[in-house]
Protein backbone atom coordinates (compact mmCIF):
# COMPACT_ATOMS: atom_id res chain seq x y z
CA UNK A 1 0.00 0.00 0.00
CA UNK A 2 1.35 3.42 -0.89
CA UNK A 3 1.98 6.30 1.43
CA UNK A 4 -1.37 7.79 0.49
CA UNK A 5 -4.47 5.69 0.18
CA UNK A 6 -8.08 6.52 -0.33
CA UNK A 7 -11.07 4.82 1.13
CA UNK A 8 -13.39 3.22 -1.33
CA UNK A 9 -16.57 5.22 -1.51
CA UNK A 10 -19.49 3.17 -0.27
CA UNK A 11 -22.55 3.56 -2.45
CA UNK A 12 -25.67 4.33 -0.48
CA UNK A 13 -28.98 3.55 -2.11
CA UNK A 14 -31.35 6.41 -2.79
CA UNK A 15 -34.73 5.72 -1.22
CA UNK A 16 -37.91 7.44 -2.32
CA UNK A 17 -40.72 7.29 0.23
CA UNK A 18 -44.14 7.78 -1.34
CA UNK A 19 -47.85 7.60 -0.70
CA UNK A 20 -50.30 6.11 -3.23
CA UNK A 21 -52.83 8.87 -2.59
CA UNK A 22 -50.34 11.67 -3.21
CA UNK A 23 -49.89 13.12 -6.70
CA UNK A 24 -46.49 14.54 -5.73
CA UNK A 25 -45.27 11.02 -5.04
CA UNK A 26 -46.16 9.92 -8.56
CA UNK A 27 -44.49 13.01 -10.02
CA UNK A 28 -41.23 12.05 -8.30
CA UNK A 29 -41.47 8.37 -9.24
CA UNK A 30 -42.15 9.26 -12.88
CA UNK A 31 -39.24 11.71 -13.04
CA UNK A 32 -36.82 9.21 -11.50
CA UNK A 33 -38.14 6.52 -13.83
CA UNK A 34 -37.82 8.66 -16.96
CA UNK A 35 -34.26 9.65 -16.03
CA UNK A 36 -33.50 6.00 -15.17
CA UNK A 37 -32.21 6.77 -11.69
CA UNK A 38 -31.50 3.73 -9.45
CA UNK A 39 -34.05 4.58 -6.79
CA UNK A 40 -35.71 2.24 -4.31
CA UNK A 41 -39.36 3.19 -3.89
CA UNK A 42 -41.27 2.55 -0.69
CA UNK A 43 -45.03 3.12 -0.65
CA UNK A 44 -46.07 4.03 2.88
CA UNK A 45 -48.94 5.57 4.80
CA UNK A 46 -46.73 7.71 7.03
CA UNK A 47 -43.22 8.99 6.52
CA UNK A 48 -40.44 8.18 8.99
CA UNK A 49 -38.08 10.29 6.90
CA UNK A 50 -40.37 13.28 7.23
CA UNK A 51 -40.46 12.80 11.01
CA UNK A 52 -36.65 12.86 11.04
CA UNK A 53 -36.61 16.06 9.01
CA UNK A 54 -39.17 17.63 11.34
CA UNK A 55 -36.97 16.86 14.33
CA UNK A 56 -33.83 18.24 12.66
CA UNK A 57 -35.63 21.50 11.82
CA UNK A 58 -37.33 21.65 15.23
CA UNK A 59 -40.68 21.60 13.43
CA UNK A 60 -43.67 19.36 13.91
CA UNK A 61 -46.63 18.40 11.79
CA UNK A 62 -44.87 18.48 8.40
CA UNK A 63 -45.98 14.92 7.58
CA UNK A 64 -45.61 15.38 3.84
CA UNK A 65 -44.90 13.08 0.93
CA UNK A 66 -42.76 12.33 -0.91
CA UNK A 67 -39.40 12.10 0.87
CA UNK A 68 -35.98 11.09 -0.39
CA UNK A 69 -33.26 9.52 1.74
CA UNK A 70 -29.63 8.97 0.81
CA UNK A 71 -27.30 8.19 3.69
CA UNK A 72 -27.65 10.96 6.25
CA UNK A 73 -29.42 13.25 3.77
CA UNK A 74 -33.20 13.58 3.95
CA UNK A 75 -35.53 16.01 2.23
CA UNK A 76 -39.32 16.02 1.89
CA UNK A 77 -41.95 17.70 -0.23
CA UNK A 78 -42.57 17.26 -3.95
CA UNK A 79 -40.85 20.45 -5.10
CA UNK A 80 -37.65 19.74 -3.16
CA UNK A 81 -37.53 16.07 -4.14
CA UNK A 82 -38.24 16.81 -7.81
CA UNK A 83 -35.35 19.29 -7.86
CA UNK A 84 -33.05 16.68 -6.31
CA UNK A 85 -34.10 13.94 -8.73
CA UNK A 86 -33.82 16.20 -11.77
CA UNK A 87 -30.18 17.05 -11.03
CA UNK A 88 -28.94 13.77 -9.54
CA UNK A 89 -27.08 11.31 -11.75
CA UNK A 90 -25.42 11.51 -15.15
CA UNK A 91 -28.58 11.62 -17.26
CA UNK A 92 -29.51 15.01 -18.77
CA UNK A 93 -31.85 17.09 -16.65
CA UNK A 94 -35.39 17.68 -17.88
CA UNK A 95 -34.99 21.35 -18.70
CA UNK A 96 -36.03 22.94 -22.01
CA UNK A 97 -33.21 25.07 -23.43
CA UNK A 98 -35.44 27.40 -25.40
CA UNK A 99 -36.91 30.24 -23.36
CA UNK A 100 -40.41 29.92 -24.81
CA UNK A 101 -40.53 26.18 -24.09
CA UNK A 102 -39.27 26.68 -20.54
CA UNK A 103 -41.89 29.38 -19.98
CA UNK A 104 -44.62 27.13 -21.42
CA UNK A 105 -43.49 24.26 -19.19
CA UNK A 106 -43.66 26.41 -16.08
CA UNK A 107 -47.02 27.83 -17.14
CA UNK A 108 -48.65 24.40 -17.44
CA UNK A 109 -47.11 23.19 -14.19
CA UNK A 110 -48.56 26.30 -12.56
CA UNK A 111 -51.99 25.73 -14.13
CA UNK A 112 -51.95 22.22 -12.72
CA UNK A 113 -50.94 23.16 -9.18
CA UNK A 114 -52.94 26.37 -8.81
CA UNK A 115 -56.01 25.80 -10.97
CA UNK A 116 -56.55 22.09 -11.60
CA UNK A 117 -55.43 20.14 -8.54
CA UNK A 118 -57.46 22.22 -6.04
CA UNK A 119 -60.61 21.30 -7.99
CA UNK A 120 -59.97 17.62 -7.32
CA UNK A 121 -60.74 18.10 -3.63
CA UNK A 122 -64.43 18.24 -4.58
CA UNK A 123 -64.81 16.64 -8.00
CA UNK A 124 -68.65 16.49 -8.09
CA UNK A 125 -68.92 20.24 -7.56
CA UNK A 126 -66.16 21.08 -10.03
CA UNK A 127 -66.79 18.81 -13.02
CA UNK A 128 -67.50 21.72 -15.38
CA UNK A 129 -64.40 23.69 -14.37
CA UNK A 130 -62.26 20.55 -14.59
CA UNK A 131 -63.58 19.90 -18.09
CA UNK A 132 -62.92 23.51 -19.14
CA UNK A 133 -59.25 23.27 -18.16
CA UNK A 134 -58.83 19.88 -19.84
CA UNK A 135 -60.42 21.23 -23.02
CA UNK A 136 -57.77 23.96 -23.19
CA UNK A 137 -55.01 21.41 -22.53
CA UNK A 138 -56.47 19.12 -25.19
CA UNK A 139 -56.25 21.92 -27.77
CA UNK A 140 -52.70 22.72 -26.65
CA UNK A 141 -51.55 19.15 -27.24
CA UNK A 142 -53.19 18.85 -30.69
CA UNK A 143 -50.51 18.02 -33.25
CA UNK A 144 -47.79 17.70 -30.59
CA UNK A 145 -46.18 14.69 -28.96
CA UNK A 146 -45.82 16.54 -25.67
CA UNK A 147 -47.51 19.40 -23.85
CA UNK A 148 -44.95 22.06 -24.84
CA UNK A 149 -43.64 20.32 -27.97
CA UNK A 150 -40.80 18.40 -26.31
CA UNK A 151 -40.76 16.24 -23.19
CA UNK A 152 -40.72 18.45 -20.10
CA UNK A 153 -41.68 18.55 -16.46
CA UNK A 154 -45.16 19.56 -17.59
CA UNK A 155 -45.60 16.02 -18.93
CA UNK A 156 -44.32 14.53 -15.67
CA UNK A 157 -46.65 16.64 -13.52
CA UNK A 158 -49.81 16.17 -15.56
CA UNK A 159 -49.33 12.44 -16.20
CA UNK A 160 -48.84 11.87 -12.46
CA UNK A 161 -52.18 13.50 -11.68
CA UNK A 162 -53.91 11.47 -14.40
CA UNK A 163 -52.35 8.31 -12.95
CA UNK A 164 -53.77 9.18 -9.54
CA UNK A 165 -57.20 9.84 -11.06
CA UNK A 166 -57.06 6.49 -12.87
CA UNK A 167 -56.25 4.72 -9.61
CA UNK A 168 -59.23 6.44 -8.00
CA UNK A 169 -61.59 5.36 -10.78
CA UNK A 170 -61.93 8.92 -12.13
CA UNK A 171 -60.52 8.41 -15.64
CA UNK A 172 -63.90 9.42 -17.10
CA UNK A 173 -62.90 13.02 -16.33
CA UNK A 174 -60.42 12.97 -19.22
CA UNK A 175 -61.34 9.92 -21.32
CA UNK A 176 -63.38 12.03 -23.76
CA UNK A 177 -60.47 14.20 -24.89
CA UNK A 178 -58.89 12.66 -28.00
CA UNK A 179 -55.59 14.57 -28.08
CA UNK A 180 -55.12 14.25 -24.35
CA UNK A 181 -55.60 10.49 -24.45
CA UNK A 182 -53.23 10.06 -27.40
CA UNK A 183 -50.62 12.00 -25.45
CA UNK A 184 -51.20 9.93 -22.30
CA UNK A 185 -50.91 6.67 -24.25
CA UNK A 186 -47.51 7.82 -25.53
CA UNK A 187 -46.38 8.92 -22.06
CA UNK A 188 -47.25 5.50 -20.63
CA UNK A 189 -44.81 3.88 -23.06
CA UNK A 190 -42.02 6.33 -22.22
CA UNK A 191 -42.18 6.26 -18.43
CA UNK A 192 -41.17 2.77 -17.20
CA UNK A 193 -43.39 1.52 -14.42
CA UNK A 194 -46.27 3.92 -15.17
CA UNK A 195 -48.82 1.13 -15.00
CA UNK A 196 -47.64 -0.27 -11.66
CA UNK A 197 -46.60 0.95 -8.22
CA UNK A 198 -43.05 -0.25 -8.70
CA UNK A 199 -40.69 -0.83 -5.78
CA UNK A 200 -37.56 -0.12 -7.82
CA UNK A 201 -37.30 2.51 -10.53
CA UNK A 202 -34.08 1.42 -12.23
CA UNK A 203 -31.46 -1.26 -11.84
Amino acid sequence: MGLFSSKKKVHQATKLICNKKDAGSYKCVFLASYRKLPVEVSWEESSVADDKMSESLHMTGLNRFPCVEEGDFTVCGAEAVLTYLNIKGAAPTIHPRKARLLAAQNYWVQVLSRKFEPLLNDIPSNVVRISDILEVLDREIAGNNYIVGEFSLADVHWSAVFKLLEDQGQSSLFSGFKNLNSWLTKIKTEIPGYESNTEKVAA
Side-chain angles (χ1 to χ4, degrees):
M1 182 179 294
L3 182 61
F4 298 100
S5 61
S6 59
K7 293 182 179 179
K8 185 177 180 180
K9 188 175 181 179
V10 178
H11 174 72
Q12 295 178 311
T14 301
K15 298 180 181 179
L16 185 57
I17 303 170
C18 300
N19 182 283
K20 294 179 181 179
K21 297 179 181 179
D22 174 58
S25 293
Y26 284 108
K27 294 172 186 178
C28 293
V29 170
F30 287 1
L31 178 59
S33 181
Y34 185 84
R35 296 191 69 238
K36 296 180 171 58
L37 298 177
V39 174
E40 295 180 3
V41 181
S42 175
W43 297 93
E44 300 181 5
E45 293 301 320
S46 61
S47 173
V48 174
D50 201 46
D51 291 340
K52 288 167 59 179
M53 186 177 182
S54 298
E55 292 175 4
S56 67
L57 296 176
H58 304 290
M59 298 172 65
T60 58
L62 288 178
N63 194 30
R64 296 172 301 174
F65 288 96
C67 291
V68 68
E69 280 188 324
E70 185 172 325
D72 60 357
F73 172 76
T74 300
V75 69
C76 298
E79 186 173 349
V81 176
L82 283 166
T83 299
Y84 176 83
L85 294 174
N86 200 22
I87 295 175
K88 181 178 174 62
T93 60
I94 309 302
H95 187 83
R97 293 184 178 276
K98 293 184 178 180
R100 64 177 61 186
L101 296 183
L102 179 59
Q105 167 196 272
N106 293 345
Y107 169 77
W108 281 107
V109 169
Q110 181 175 288
V111 168
L112 177 69
S113 63
R114 297 187 182 182
K115 301 292 186 180
F116 190 78
E117 288 186 274
L119 299 177
L120 302 181
N121 294 323
D122 185 3
I123 291 176
S125 299
N126 294 311
V127 171
V128 174
R129 294 175 66 190
I130 289 171
S131 181
D132 288 344
I133 293 175
L134 293 180
E135 184 176 350
V136 175
L137 180 59
D138 189 67
R139 291 199 302 267
E140 183 73 15
I141 296 176
N144 295 320
N145 289 325
Y146 306 105
I147 293 177
V148 302
E150 67 178 51
F151 189 87
S152 73
L153 291 178
D155 299 289
V156 172
H157 281 249
W158 278 92
S159 61
V161 171
F162 289 138
K163 167 64 173 174
L164 185 61
L165 288 172
E166 287 178 339
D167 289 350
Q168 295 175 346
Q170 298 286 353
S171 59
S172 60
L173 289 172
F174 54 86
S175 60
F177 296 95
K178 180 180 178 181
N179 299 320
L180 191 54
N181 279 276
S182 295
W183 161 81
L184 189 57
T185 298
K186 179 178 177 61
I187 291 297
K188 288 179 179 180
T189 66
E190 297 188 3
I191 298 181
Y194 180 100
E195 298 289 2
S196 62
N197 294 327
T198 181
E199 299 298 326
K200 182 169 287 188
V201 169

